[in-house]
Amino acid sequence: MAILNRIVGIPGAGKTQRLREHVQRWVEVDGIEPADIVCTSFTRAASQVLRGRIPIPTGNATTLHSLAYRALEAPLIAEADKDLVQQWNEATNGAYAIGKHSTEALEDAFLAEMPTGSKPLEMYSHWRATGRQNRFLEEITRDFAKRWEDFKAQTHSMDFQDLLDNALAHIDRCPGDPECFVVDEAQDLTPSQWALAQKWGAAAQYRYVVAGDPAQGGRQIGRHPQPVGGRSGFRSSAGTQTLHAVDDFPGQMPAARNAYAQFL
């Protein structure tokens, strides 16, 4: 079972540099192959930053959606396939029209944010991603949800949230079965993303590292407030916890420092 490490710090405090140091030590000292290290982040933009700074293969620094897409063997994605988007928009007479997505390099196109287009789709996806009971969202998306689920069943397709749900339910390990699994910007993950990251991280053969700023957690809709600074199951997900508080700006990160102190 992977040894869990936390890296806590405010933006600009050096969390990614600490990640880089970890990866370099795994490769140069511990003998881990770069191809056996996977780094994931909340958005494609954030994962591209990792690609430029972490010495691993380009395809190993990506989003959870992209990893789930690989793990599920490239299923048809309803809101990303231009033909299905057109079919859906025609079937609903534009009442629930969704925007078109480029199908080029589909795997790289996945972003953790909800797809633009239909407001009901965004609200429905948000409701499912957060896992929170919300009667208001349930009511206003009821008709859309039935039509959308029927459409996916008829076209044998999934949506972005289905990727995470199906990977969590059916895929025990991250694609490639990496020895090291890294989650950056963990404070931005939704509960469903966090559940998948925790499952795959705990299954890694050597190291499981989570980096983020607990002071930022939960500030945006759908984000989970506890992955870094809270006590959301870390003790049971790995045998050992090694904590790092990255504090390059003394006096400017009380929330992160307090979170770190809880576990000393």
Side-chain angles (χ1 to χ4, degrees):
M1 181 175 288
I3 298 173
L4 175 65
N5 292 263
R6 292 175 190 245
I7 300 175
V8 176
I10 62 173
K15 296 186 297 296
T16 303
Q17 176 59 32
R18 181 60 64 88
L19 283 177
R20 180 180 176 84
E21 292 169 359
H22 272 287
V23 171
Q24 287 179 323
R25 184 168 63 252
W26 297 338
V27 172
E28 297 172 4
V29 178
D30 300 339
I32 304 296
E33 292 293 331
D36 284 330
I37 302 170
V38 167
C39 297
T40 184
S41 194
F42 181 66
T43 65
R44 183 175 58 165
S47 66
Q48 287 175 336
V49 171
L50 287 176
R51 291 175 188 176
R53 301 184 64 181
I54 304 296
I56 61 175
T58 299
N60 284 27
T62 187
T63 64
L64 278 169
H65 283 84
S66 178
L67 291 171
Y69 180 71
R70 293 184 209 171
L72 296 168
E73 300 182 347
L76 189 62
I77 306 300
E79 68 267 53
D81 183 88
K82 62 181 181 181
D83 293 330
L84 288 183
V85 168
Q86 181 178 354
Q87 185 178 338
W88 165 261
N89 289 343
E90 291 175 353
T92 59
N93 296 317
Y96 294 126
I98 60 177
K100 294 182 179 181
H101 289 254
S102 170
T103 55
E104 291 185 18
L106 180 61
E107 187 176 340
D108 274 345
F110 293 130
L111 300 180
E113 290 93 343
M114 304 310 171
T116 58
S118 166
K119 194 65 177 178
L121 175 58
E122 294 179 16
M123 291 188 291
Y124 181 53
S125 298
H126 162 66
W127 176 38
R128 294 165 63 202
T130 59
R132 297 171 184 166
Q133 296 296 322
N134 190 316
R135 292 182 180 179
F136 174 71
L137 285 181
E138 181 180 5
E139 183 64 31
I140 64 177
T141 62
R142 188 186 306 277
D143 180 62
F144 169 85
K146 184 179 185 308
R147 293 194 188 191
W148 184 244
E149 294 300 328
D150 288 345
F151 178 77
K152 289 188 296 179
Q154 294 165 8
T155 57
H156 305 287
S157 61
M158 296 184 184
D159 59 25
F160 287 99
Q161 185 58 39
D162 289 330
L163 287 173
L164 301 177
D165 294 342
N166 280 275
L168 179 62
H170 305 296
I171 308 297
D172 291 332
R173 295 178 179 274
C174 176
D177 196 12
E179 294 194 51
C180 303
F181 188 79
V182 176
V183 181
D184 194 19
E185 304 296 348
Q187 78 280 346
D188 287 332
L189 299 184
T190 65
S192 57
Q193 290 170 325
W194 173 242
L196 181 59
Q198 190 172 14
K199 179 180 181 179
W200 284 354
Q205 301 172 43
Y206 185 59
R207 296 280 179 173
Y208 172 27
V209 176
V210 173
D213 177 7
Q216 295 185 77
R219 290 187 178 180
Q220 300 184 51
I221 290 177
R223 310 299 163 81
H224 195 288
Q226 293 185 342
V228 179
R231 300 176 181 267
S232 55
F234 273 117
R235 294 188 184 278
S236 61
S237 66
T240 303
Q241 296 192 79
T242 304
L243 310 182
H244 301 278
V246 182
D247 190 355
D248 288 349
F249 303 94
Q252 297 185 33
M253 54 176 297
R257 188 182 294 106
N258 290 339
Y260 171 69
Q262 292 180 47
F263 294 92
L264 291 179

